[in-house]
Amino acid sequence: MVKVLAAGKDPKTCRAGELAQGEAVTVGADHGAREILRTMASHKVRRLPVIDGHKLVGIVALAEVAKTVPDATAGDLLESLTSDWRRCRRYPCRPSCEGMS
């Protein structure tokens, strides 16, 4: 809702595709925890759609995957995801913040 209003669009008529940024990053239903974590780290995301063939079968979150790997591995990923936010002039902020310098 915030992005819709910030873009000056009408929430009643705005479609998700109008706000999309780039191509969707997904993981396969058969991907393991380490591969999911690598994908999250390389794309700086905390959630990923899970695809089986061409069908969306779920969403996997960092918190769920972190439970299946050693604490150090999960900690490293969390650190890499938050490092950009800490450089923001207005830290703490959100990843969509315009305060990145």
Coordinates of all heavy atoms in Angstrom, one line a residue:
M1 N 0.8 -1.2 0.0 CA 0.0 0.0 0.0 C 0.9 1.3 0.0 O 0.6 2.2 -0.7 CB -0.9 0.0 1.2 CG -1.9 1.1 1.3 SD -3.0 1.3 -0.1 CE -4.2 0.0 0.3
V2 N 2.0 1.2 0.8 CA 2.8 2.4 0.9 C 3.4 2.7 -0.5 O 3.4 3.9 -0.9 CB 3.9 2.2 1.9 CG1 4.9 3.3 1.9 CG2 3.4 2.0 3.3
K3 N 3.9 1.7 -1.2 CA 4.5 1.9 -2.6 C 3.4 2.5 -3.5 O 3.7 3.3 -4.4 CB 5.1 0.7 -3.1 CG 6.4 0.3 -2.6 CD 7.0 -0.9 -3.4 CE 8.4 -1.2 -2.9 NZ 9.0 -2.2 -3.7
V4 N 2.2 2.0 -3.4 CA 1.1 2.5 -4.3 C 0.9 4.0 -4.1 O 0.8 4.7 -5.0 CB -0.2 1.7 -4.1 CG1 -1.3 2.3 -4.8 CG2 0.0 0.2 -4.5
L5 N 0.7 4.3 -2.8 CA 0.5 5.7 -2.5 C 1.7 6.6 -2.8 O 1.5 7.7 -3.3 CB 0.1 5.9 -1.0 CG -1.2 5.2 -0.6 CD1 -1.5 5.2 0.8 CD2 -2.4 5.7 -1.4
A6 N 2.9 6.1 -2.5 CA 4.1 6.9 -2.8 C 4.2 7.2 -4.3 O 4.8 8.2 -4.7 CB 5.3 6.2 -2.3
A7 N 3.8 6.2 -5.1 CA 3.9 6.4 -6.6 C 2.7 7.2 -7.1 O 2.6 7.4 -8.3 CB 3.9 5.0 -7.2
G8 N 1.8 7.7 -6.2 CA 0.7 8.5 -6.7 C -0.4 7.7 -7.4 O -1.1 8.3 -8.2
K9 N -0.5 6.4 -7.2 CA -1.4 5.6 -7.9 C -2.7 5.3 -7.0 O -2.6 5.5 -5.8 CB -0.8 4.2 -8.2 CG 0.4 4.4 -9.2 CD 1.0 3.1 -9.6 CE 2.1 3.2 -10.6 NZ 1.7 3.7 -11.9
D10 N -3.7 4.9 -7.7 CA -5.0 4.6 -7.0 C -5.0 3.2 -6.5 O -4.9 2.2 -7.3 CB -6.1 4.8 -8.0 CG -7.5 4.5 -7.4 OD1 -7.6 4.1 -6.2 OD2 -8.5 4.7 -8.1
P11 N -5.0 2.9 -5.2 CA -5.0 1.6 -4.6 C -6.1 0.7 -5.2 O -5.9 -0.6 -5.2 CB -5.2 1.8 -3.1 CG -4.8 3.2 -2.9 CD -5.1 3.9 -4.1
K12 N -7.2 1.3 -5.6 CA -8.3 0.4 -6.1 C -8.0 -0.1 -7.5 O -8.6 -1.1 -7.9 CB -9.6 1.2 -6.1 CG -10.1 1.6 -4.7 CD -11.3 2.4 -4.8 CE -11.8 2.8 -3.4 NZ -13.0 3.7 -3.4
T13 N -7.2 0.5 -8.3 CA -6.9 0.1 -9.6 C -5.5 -0.3 -9.9 O -5.2 -0.9 -11.0 CB -7.3 1.2 -10.6 OG1 -6.5 2.4 -10.3 CG2 -8.8 1.6 -10.5
C14 N -4.6 -0.1 -9.0 CA -3.2 -0.4 -9.2 C -3.0 -1.9 -9.2 O -3.4 -2.6 -8.3 CB -2.3 0.3 -8.2 SG -0.5 0.0 -8.5
R15 N -2.2 -2.5 -10.1 CA -1.9 -3.9 -10.2 C -0.5 -4.1 -9.7 O 0.4 -3.2 -9.9 CB -2.1 -4.4 -11.6 CG -3.4 -3.9 -12.3 CD -4.5 -4.8 -12.5 NE -4.4 -6.1 -13.0 CZ -5.2 -7.0 -12.5 NH1 -6.1 -6.7 -11.5 NH2 -5.2 -8.2 -13.0
A16 N -0.2 -5.2 -9.2 CA 1.1 -5.6 -8.6 C 2.2 -5.4 -9.7 O 3.3 -4.9 -9.4 CB 1.2 -7.0 -8.1
G17 N 1.9 -5.7 -10.9 CA 2.9 -5.6 -12.0 C 3.4 -4.2 -12.2 O 4.5 -4.0 -12.7
E18 N 2.6 -3.2 -11.9 CA 2.9 -1.8 -12.1 C 4.0 -1.4 -11.1 O 4.7 -0.4 -11.3 CB 1.7 -0.9 -11.9 CG 0.6 -1.1 -12.9 CD -0.6 -0.2 -12.6 OE1 -0.4 1.0 -12.4 OE2 -1.7 -0.8 -12.6
L19 N 4.2 -2.1 -10.0 CA 5.2 -1.8 -9.0 C 6.4 -2.7 -9.0 O 7.4 -2.5 -8.3 CB 4.5 -1.8 -7.6 CG 3.3 -0.9 -7.4 CD1 2.7 -1.2 -6.1 CD2 3.7 0.5 -7.5
A20 N 6.4 -3.7 -9.8 CA 7.4 -4.7 -9.9 C 8.8 -4.1 -10.3 O 8.8 -3.1 -11.1 CB 7.1 -5.8 -10.8
Q21 N 9.8 -4.6 -9.7 CA 11.2 -4.0 -10.0 C 12.0 -5.2 -10.5 O 12.5 -6.0 -9.8 CB 11.8 -3.4 -8.8 CG 11.0 -2.3 -8.2 CD 11.5 -1.8 -6.9 OE1 12.3 -2.5 -6.3 NE2 11.1 -0.7 -6.4
G22 N 12.3 -5.2 -11.8 CA 13.2 -6.3 -12.4 C 12.5 -7.6 -12.5 O 11.2 -7.7 -12.3
E23 N 13.3 -8.6 -12.7 CA 12.7 -10.0 -12.8 C 12.6 -10.6 -11.4 O 13.4 -10.3 -10.5 CB 13.7 -10.8 -13.7 CG 13.6 -10.4 -15.1 CD 14.4 -11.4 -16.0 OE1 14.4 -12.6 -15.7 OE2 14.9 -11.0 -17.0
A24 N 11.7 -11.5 -11.3 CA 11.5 -12.2 -10.1 C 12.6 -13.3 -9.9 O 13.0 -13.9 -10.8 CB 10.1 -13.0 -10.1
V25 N 13.0 -13.4 -8.6 CA 14.0 -14.3 -8.3 C 13.3 -15.4 -7.5 O 12.5 -15.2 -6.6 CB 15.1 -13.7 -7.3 CG1 16.1 -14.8 -6.9 CG2 15.8 -12.6 -8.1
T26 N 13.5 -16.7 -7.9 CA 12.8 -17.8 -7.3 C 13.7 -18.9 -7.0 O 14.9 -18.9 -7.4 CB 11.7 -18.4 -8.2 OG1 12.3 -18.9 -9.4 CG2 10.7 -17.3 -8.6
V27 N 13.3 -19.9 -6.2 CA 14.0 -21.1 -6.0 C 13.1 -22.3 -6.3 O 11.9 -22.2 -6.3 CB 14.5 -21.3 -4.5 CG1 15.6 -20.3 -4.2 CG2 13.4 -21.2 -3.5
G28 N 13.7 -23.4 -6.7 CA 12.9 -24.6 -7.0 C 12.5 -25.4 -5.8 O 13.2 -25.3 -4.7
A29 N 11.5 -26.1 -5.9 CA 11.0 -26.9 -4.7 C 12.0 -27.9 -4.3 O 12.0 -28.4 -3.1 CB 9.7 -27.6 -5.1
D30 N 12.9 -28.3 -5.1 CA 13.9 -29.3 -4.8 C 15.2 -28.7 -4.3 O 16.2 -29.5 -4.1 CB 14.1 -30.2 -6.0 CG 14.6 -29.5 -7.2 OD1 14.5 -28.3 -7.3 OD2 15.1 -30.2 -8.1
H31 N 15.3 -27.4 -4.2 CA 16.6 -26.8 -3.8 C 16.8 -27.0 -2.3 O 15.9 -27.0 -1.5 CB 16.6 -25.3 -4.0 CG 16.7 -25.0 -5.5 ND1 16.5 -23.7 -6.0 CD2 17.0 -25.7 -6.6 CE1 16.7 -23.7 -7.3 NE2 17.0 -25.0 -7.7
G32 N 18.1 -27.2 -1.9 CA 18.4 -27.4 -0.5 C 18.6 -26.0 0.2 O 18.6 -25.0 -0.4
A33 N 18.8 -26.1 1.5 CA 18.9 -24.9 2.4 C 20.1 -24.0 2.0 O 19.9 -22.8 1.9 CB 19.0 -25.3 3.8
R34 N 21.2 -24.6 1.7 CA 22.4 -23.9 1.4 C 22.2 -23.1 0.0 O 22.6 -22.0 -0.1 CB 23.6 -24.7 1.4 CG 24.0 -25.2 2.8 CD 25.4 -25.7 2.8 NE 25.7 -26.3 4.2 CZ 26.1 -25.5 5.2 NH1 26.2 -24.2 5.1 NH2 26.3 -26.1 6.4
E35 N 21.6 -23.8 -0.9 CA 21.4 -23.1 -2.2 C 20.4 -21.9 -2.0 O 20.5 -20.9 -2.6 CB 20.8 -24.1 -3.2 CG 20.7 -23.5 -4.6 CD 20.5 -24.6 -5.7 OE1 20.5 -25.8 -5.4 OE2 20.3 -24.2 -6.8
I36 N 19.4 -22.1 -1.2 CA 18.4 -21.1 -0.9 C 19.1 -19.9 -0.3 O 18.9 -18.7 -0.6 CB 17.2 -21.6 -0.1 CG1 16.4 -22.6 -0.8 CG2 16.4 -20.4 0.4 CD1 15.4 -23.4 0.0
L37 N 20.0 -20.2 0.7 CA 20.7 -19.1 1.4 C 21.6 -18.4 0.4 O 21.7 -17.2 0.5 CB 21.5 -19.7 2.6 CG 20.7 -20.2 3.8 CD1 21.6 -20.8 4.8 CD2 19.9 -19.1 4.4
R38 N 22.3 -19.1 -0.5 CA 23.1 -18.4 -1.5 C 22.3 -17.5 -2.3 O 22.7 -16.4 -2.6 CB 23.9 -19.5 -2.3 CG 25.1 -20.0 -1.7 CD 25.9 -20.8 -2.7 NE 25.3 -22.0 -3.3 CZ 25.3 -23.2 -2.7 NH1 26.0 -23.4 -1.6 NH2 24.6 -24.2 -3.2
T39 N 21.1 -17.9 -2.7 CA 20.3 -17.1 -3.6 C 19.8 -15.9 -2.8 O 19.8 -14.8 -3.3 CB 19.1 -17.9 -4.1 OG1 19.5 -19.1 -4.8 CG2 18.2 -17.1 -5.0
M40 N 19.4 -16.1 -1.6 CA 19.0 -14.9 -0.7 C 20.1 -13.9 -0.6 O 19.9 -12.7 -0.7 CB 18.5 -15.4 0.6 CG 17.2 -16.1 0.6 SD 16.8 -16.7 2.3 CE 15.1 -17.1 2.1
A41 N 21.3 -14.4 -0.3 CA 22.5 -13.5 -0.1 C 22.8 -12.8 -1.4 O 23.1 -11.6 -1.4 CB 23.7 -14.3 0.4
S42 N 22.8 -13.5 -2.5 CA 23.3 -12.8 -3.8 C 22.3 -11.8 -4.3 O 22.6 -10.9 -4.9 CB 23.6 -13.9 -4.9 OG 22.4 -14.5 -5.3
H43 N 21.0 -12.0 -3.9 CA 20.0 -11.0 -4.3 C 19.5 -10.1 -3.2 O 18.6 -9.3 -3.4 CB 18.8 -11.8 -4.9 CG 19.1 -12.5 -6.2 ND1 19.2 -11.8 -7.4 CD2 19.5 -13.7 -6.5 CE1 19.6 -12.6 -8.4 NE2 19.7 -13.8 -7.8
K44 N 20.1 -10.3 -2.0 CA 19.7 -9.4 -0.9 C 18.2 -9.4 -0.5 O 17.6 -8.4 -0.4 CB 20.2 -8.0 -1.1 CG 21.7 -7.8 -1.3 CD 22.4 -7.7 0.0 CE 23.9 -7.3 -0.3 NZ 24.6 -7.4 0.9
V45 N 17.7 -10.7 -0.4 CA 16.3 -10.8 -0.1 C 16.1 -11.7 1.1 O 17.0 -12.6 1.3 CB 15.4 -11.3 -1.3 CG1 15.4 -10.4 -2.5 CG2 16.0 -12.7 -1.8
R46 N 15.0 -11.6 1.8 CA 14.8 -12.5 3.0 C 13.7 -13.5 2.7 O 13.4 -14.4 3.5 CB 14.3 -11.6 4.2 CG 15.5 -10.7 4.6 CD 15.0 -9.8 5.7 NE 16.0 -8.9 6.1 CZ 16.5 -8.9 7.4 NH1 15.9 -9.6 8.3 NH2 17.5 -8.1 7.7
R47 N 13.0 -13.3 1.6 CA 11.9 -14.3 1.2 C 12.0 -14.6 -0.3 O 12.3 -13.7 -1.1 CB 10.5 -13.7 1.5 CG 10.3 -13.6 3.0 CD 9.0 -12.8 3.2 NE 8.9 -12.4 4.6 CZ 9.5 -11.4 5.2 NH1 10.2 -10.6 4.5 NH2 9.4 -11.1 6.5
L48 N 11.7 -15.8 -0.7 CA 11.7 -16.2 -2.1 C 10.5 -17.0 -2.4 O 10.1 -17.9 -1.6 CB 13.0 -17.0 -2.3 CG 14.3 -16.3 -2.3 CD1 15.5 -17.3 -2.3 CD2 14.4 -15.4 -3.6
P49 N 9.9 -16.8 -3.6 CA 8.9 -17.7 -4.1 C 9.5 -19.1 -4.4 O 10.6 -19.1 -4.9 CB 8.4 -17.0 -5.3 CG 8.9 -15.6 -5.3 CD 10.1 -15.7 -4.5
V50 N 8.8 -20.1 -4.1 CA 9.2 -21.5 -4.4 C 8.4 -22.0 -5.6 O 7.1 -22.0 -5.5 CB 9.0 -22.4 -3.2 CG1 9.5 -23.8 -3.5 CG2 9.8 -21.9 -2.0
I51 N 9.1 -22.4 -6.6 CA 8.4 -22.9 -7.9 C 8.7 -24.3 -8.1 O 9.8 -24.8 -7.9 CB 9.0 -22.1 -9.1 CG1 8.9 -20.6 -8.8 CG2 8.4 -22.5 -10.4 CD1 7.5 -20.0 -8.8
D52 N 7.6 -25.0 -8.5 CA 7.7 -26.4 -8.9 C 7.2 -26.5 -10.3 O 6.0 -26.4 -10.6 CB 6.9 -27.3 -8.0 CG 7.1 -28.8 -8.2 OD1 8.0 -29.2 -9.1 OD2 6.4 -29.7 -7.6
G53 N 8.2 -26.6 -11.3 CA 7.8 -26.5 -12.7 C 7.5 -25.0 -12.9 O 8.3 -24.1 -12.7
H54 N 6.3 -24.7 -13.3 CA 5.8 -23.3 -13.5 C 4.8 -22.9 -12.5 O 4.1 -21.9 -12.7 CB 5.3 -23.2 -14.9 CG 6.3 -23.4 -16.0 ND1 7.2 -22.4 -16.3 CD2 6.6 -24.4 -16.9 CE1 8.0 -22.8 -17.3 NE2 7.6 -24.0 -17.6
K55 N 4.7 -23.7 -11.5 CA 3.6 -23.5 -10.4 C 4.2 -23.0 -9.1 O 5.2 -23.5 -8.6 CB 2.9 -24.8 -10.2 CG 1.7 -24.6 -9.2 CD 1.0 -25.9 -9.0 CE -0.1 -25.8 -8.0 NZ -0.8 -27.1 -7.7
L56 N 3.7 -21.9 -8.6 CA 4.1 -21.4 -7.3 C 3.5 -22.3 -6.3 O 2.3 -22.6 -6.2 CB 3.5 -20.0 -7.1 CG 3.8 -19.4 -5.7 CD1 5.2 -19.1 -5.5 CD2 2.9 -18.1 -5.6
V57 N 4.5 -22.9 -5.4 CA 4.0 -23.8 -4.4 C 4.2 -23.3 -3.0 O 3.8 -23.9 -2.0 CB 4.7 -25.2 -4.5 CG1 4.3 -25.9 -5.8 CG2 6.2 -25.1 -4.5
G58 N 4.8 -22.1 -2.9 CA 5.0 -21.5 -1.6 C 6.0 -20.3 -1.6 O 6.5 -19.9 -2.6
I59 N 6.3 -19.9 -0.3 CA 7.2 -18.8 -0.1 C 8.1 -19.3 1.0 O 7.6 -19.8 2.0 CB 6.6 -17.5 0.3 CG1 5.5 -17.0 -0.7 CG2 7.6 -16.4 0.7 CD1 6.1 -16.4 -1.9
V60 N 9.4 -19.2 0.9 CA 10.3 -19.6 1.9 C 11.0 -18.3 2.5 O 11.4 -17.4 1.7 CB 11.4 -20.6 1.4 CG1 12.3 -20.0 0.4 CG2 12.2 -21.2 2.6
A61 N 11.1 -18.3 3.8 CA 11.7 -17.1 4.5 C 13.0 -17.5 5.1 O 13.2 -18.6 5.5 CB 10.7 -16.6 5.5
L62 N 13.8 -16.5 5.3 CA 15.1 -16.6 5.9 C 15.0 -17.3 7.3 O 15.8 -18.2 7.6 CB 15.8 -15.3 6.0 CG 17.1 -15.3 6.9 CD1 18.2 -16.2 6.3 CD2 17.6 -13.8 7.0
A63 N 14.0 -16.9 8.0 CA 13.9 -17.5 9.4 C 13.6 -19.0 9.3 O 14.2 -19.7 10.2 CB 12.7 -16.8 10.1
E64 N 12.9 -19.4 8.3 CA 12.6 -20.9 8.2 C 13.9 -21.6 7.8 O 14.2 -22.7 8.4 CB 11.6 -21.1 7.2 CG 10.2 -20.5 7.6 CD 9.3 -20.4 6.4 OE1 9.7 -20.4 5.2 OE2 8.0 -20.4 6.6
V65 N 14.7 -21.1 6.9 CA 15.9 -21.8 6.4 C 16.9 -21.7 7.5 O 17.7 -22.7 7.6 CB 16.4 -21.1 5.1 CG1 17.6 -21.8 4.6 CG2 15.3 -21.1 4.0
A66 N 17.0 -20.6 8.2 CA 18.1 -20.5 9.2 C 18.0 -21.6 10.3 O 19.0 -21.9 10.9 CB 17.9 -19.1 9.9
K67 N 16.8 -22.1 10.5 CA 16.6 -23.2 11.5 C 17.3 -24.5 11.1 O 17.5 -25.3 11.9 CB 15.1 -23.4 11.8 CG 14.4 -22.3 12.4 CD 12.9 -22.5 12.5 CE 12.2 -21.3 12.9 NZ 10.7 -21.6 12.9
T68 N 17.6 -24.6 9.8 CA 18.1 -25.9 9.3 C 19.6 -25.9 9.1 O 20.2 -26.9 8.6 CB 17.4 -26.2 8.0 OG1 17.8 -25.3 6.9 CG2 15.9 -26.2 8.1
V69 N 20.3 -24.7 9.3 CA 21.8 -24.6 9.1 C 22.4 -24.2 10.4 O 21.8 -23.7 11.3 CB 22.1 -23.6 7.9 CG1 21.5 -24.1 6.6 CG2 21.6 -22.2 8.2
P70 N 23.8 -24.4 10.4 CA 24.5 -23.9 11.6 C 24.3 -22.4 11.9 O 24.1 -21.6 10.9 CB 26.0 -24.2 11.3 CG 25.9 -25.3 10.2 CD 24.6 -25.0 9.5
D71 N 24.3 -22.0 13.1 CA 24.1 -20.6 13.5 C 25.0 -19.7 12.8 O 24.6 -18.6 12.4 CB 24.3 -20.4 15.0 CG 23.1 -21.1 15.8 OD1 22.1 -21.4 15.2 OD2 23.3 -21.2 17.0
A72 N 26.3 -20.0 12.6 CA 27.3 -19.2 11.9 C 26.9 -18.9 10.5 O 27.0 -17.8 10.0 CB 28.7 -19.8 12.0
T73 N 26.3 -19.9 9.8 CA 25.9 -19.7 8.4 C 24.8 -18.8 8.3 O 24.8 -17.8 7.5 CB 25.5 -21.1 7.8 OG1 26.6 -22.0 7.9 CG2 25.1 -20.9 6.4
A74 N 23.8 -19.0 9.2 CA 22.6 -18.1 9.2 C 23.0 -16.6 9.6 O 22.6 -15.7 9.0 CB 21.6 -18.6 10.2
G75 N 24.0 -16.5 10.5 CA 24.4 -15.2 11.0 C 25.2 -14.5 9.9 O 25.0 -13.3 9.7
D76 N 26.0 -15.2 9.1 CA 26.7 -14.6 8.0 C 25.7 -14.0 7.0 O 25.9 -12.9 6.4 CB 27.6 -15.6 7.3 CG 28.8 -16.0 8.2 OD1 29.1 -15.3 9.2 OD2 29.5 -17.0 7.8
L77 N 24.7 -14.8 6.7 CA 23.7 -14.3 5.7 C 23.0 -13.1 6.2 O 22.8 -12.1 5.5 CB 22.7 -15.4 5.4 CG 21.5 -14.9 4.5 CD1 22.0 -14.4 3.1 CD2 20.5 -16.0 4.3
L78 N 22.5 -13.1 7.5 CA 21.8 -12.0 8.1 C 22.7 -10.7 8.0 O 22.3 -9.7 7.7 CB 21.4 -12.3 9.5 CG 20.5 -11.3 10.2 CD1 19.3 -11.0 9.4 CD2 20.2 -11.7 11.6
E79 N 24.0 -10.9 8.3 CA 25.0 -9.8 8.3 C 25.1 -9.2 6.9 O 25.0 -8.0 6.7 CB 26.3 -10.3 8.8 CG 27.4 -9.2 8.6 CD 27.2 -8.0 9.5 OE1 26.6 -8.1 10.6 OE2 27.7 -6.9 9.2
S80 N 25.1 -10.1 5.9 CA 25.2 -9.6 4.5 C 24.0 -8.9 4.1 O 24.0 -8.0 3.3 CB 25.6 -10.8 3.5 OG 24.4 -11.5 3.2
L81 N 22.8 -9.3 4.5 CA 21.6 -8.7 4.2 C 21.4 -7.3 4.8 O 20.8 -6.4 4.3 CB 20.4 -9.6 4.5 CG 20.2 -10.9 3.7 CD1 19.1 -11.7 4.2 CD2 20.0 -10.6 2.2
T82 N 21.9 -7.2 6.0 CA 21.7 -5.9 6.7 C 22.9 -4.9 6.5 O 22.7 -3.8 6.9 CB 21.5 -6.2 8.2 OG1 22.7 -6.9 8.8 CG2 20.3 -7.0 8.5
S83 N 24.0 -5.3 6.0 CA 25.1 -4.4 5.9 C 24.8 -3.2 5.0 O 25.3 -2.1 5.4 CB 26.3 -5.2 5.3 OG 26.1 -5.6 4.0
D84 N 24.1 -3.3 3.9 CA 23.7 -2.2 3.1 C 22.8 -1.2 3.9 O 22.9 0.0 3.8 CB 23.0 -2.6 1.9 CG 23.9 -3.2 0.8 OD1 25.1 -3.0 1.0 OD2 23.4 -3.9 -0.1
W85 N 21.9 -1.7 4.8 CA 21.0 -0.9 5.5 C 21.8 0.0 6.5 O 21.5 1.1 6.8 CB 20.0 -1.7 6.3 CG 19.1 -2.4 5.4 CD1 19.0 -2.4 4.0 CD2 18.1 -3.4 5.8 NE1 18.1 -3.2 3.6 CE2 17.5 -3.9 4.6 CE3 17.8 -3.9 7.0 CZ2 16.5 -4.8 4.6 CZ3 16.8 -4.9 7.0 CH2 16.2 -5.3 5.8
R86 N 22.9 -0.6 7.1 CA 23.7 0.1 8.1 C 24.4 1.3 7.5 O 24.8 2.2 8.2 CB 24.7 -0.8 8.8 CG 23.9 -1.8 9.6 CD 24.9 -2.5 10.5 NE 24.2 -3.5 11.2 CZ 24.6 -4.8 11.3 NH1 25.7 -5.2 10.8 NH2 23.8 -5.6 12.0
R87 N 24.7 1.3 6.1 CA 25.4 2.4 5.5 C 24.4 3.5 5.1 O 24.8 4.6 4.7 CB 26.1 1.9 4.2 CG 27.3 1.0 4.5 CD 28.1 0.9 3.3 NE 27.4 0.3 2.1 CZ 27.3 -1.0 1.8 NH1 28.0 -1.9 2.6 NH2 26.7 -1.4 0.8
C88 N 23.1 3.3 5.4 CA 22.1 4.3 5.1 C 22.3 5.5 6.0 O 22.5 5.4 7.2 CB 20.7 3.7 5.2 SG 19.4 4.9 4.9
R89 N 22.1 6.7 5.4 CA 22.2 8.0 6.2 C 21.1 8.0 7.3 O 21.3 8.7 8.3 CB 22.1 9.2 5.3 CG 23.2 9.3 4.3 CD 23.0 10.6 3.5 NE 21.7 10.7 2.9 CZ 21.5 10.6 1.6 NH1 22.5 10.5 0.8 NH2 20.3 10.7 1.1
R90 N 20.0 7.3 7.0 CA 18.9 7.4 8.0 C 18.7 6.1 8.7 O 17.6 5.7 9.1 CB 17.6 7.8 7.2 CG 17.7 9.1 6.6 CD 16.4 9.5 6.0 NE 16.0 8.6 4.9 CZ 15.3 8.9 3.8 NH1 15.0 10.1 3.7 NH2 15.0 8.0 2.9
Y91 N 19.8 5.3 8.9 CA 19.7 4.0 9.6 C 19.1 4.2 11.0 O 19.5 5.2 11.7 CB 21.1 3.4 9.7 CG 21.1 2.0 10.5 CD1 20.6 0.9 9.8 CD2 21.4 2.0 11.8 CE1 20.6 -0.3 10.5 CE2 21.4 0.8 12.5 CZ 21.0 -0.4 11.8 OH 20.9 -1.5 12.5
P92 N 18.2 3.4 11.5 CA 17.6 2.2 10.8 C 16.6 2.6 9.8 O 15.8 3.5 10.0 CB 17.0 1.4 11.9 CG 16.6 2.4 13.0 CD 17.6 3.6 12.8
C93 N 16.6 2.0 8.7 CA 15.6 2.2 7.6 C 15.2 0.9 7.0 O 15.6 -0.1 7.4 CB 16.2 3.2 6.6 SG 17.5 2.5 5.6
R94 N 14.4 1.0 5.9 CA 14.0 -0.1 5.2 C 14.8 -0.3 3.9 O 15.3 0.7 3.5 CB 12.5 0.0 4.9 CG 11.6 0.0 6.2 CD 10.2 -0.2 5.8 NE 9.7 0.8 4.8 CZ 8.8 1.7 5.0 NH1 8.2 1.8 6.1 NH2 8.5 2.5 4.0
P95 N 14.8 -1.5 3.3 CA 15.6 -1.6 2.1 C 15.1 -0.7 1.0 O 15.9 -0.4 0.1 CB 15.4 -3.1 1.7 CG 14.5 -3.7 2.7 CD 14.1 -2.7 3.7
S96 N 13.9 -0.3 1.0 CA 13.4 0.6 -0.1 C 13.8 2.0 0.1 O 13.4 2.9 -0.6 CB 11.9 0.4 -0.3 OG 11.3 0.8 0.9
C97 N 14.5 2.3 1.2 CA 14.8 3.7 1.6 C 15.6 4.4 0.5 O 16.5 3.8 -0.1 CB 15.6 3.6 2.9 SG 16.2 5.2 3.5
E98 N 15.4 5.7 0.4 CA 16.1 6.5 -0.6 C 17.3 7.1 0.1 O 18.0 7.9 -0.5 CB 15.2 7.6 -1.1 CG 14.0 7.1 -1.9 CD 14.4 6.4 -3.2 OE1 15.4 6.8 -3.8 OE2 13.8 5.4 -3.6
G99 N 17.6 6.8 1.3 CA 18.7 7.4 2.0 C 20.1 6.8 1.8 O 21.0 7.2 2.5
M100 N 20.2 5.8 0.9 CA 21.5 5.2 0.7 C 22.4 6.2 0.0 O 22.0 6.9 -0.9 CB 21.3 3.9 -0.2 CG 20.5 2.8 0.4 SD 21.3 2.1 1.8 CE 22.6 1.1 1.0
S101 N 23.6 6.2 0.5 CA 24.6 7.1 -0.1 C 25.6 6.4 -0.9 O 25.7 5.3 -0.9 CB 25.2 8.0 1.0 OG 25.8 7.1 2.0

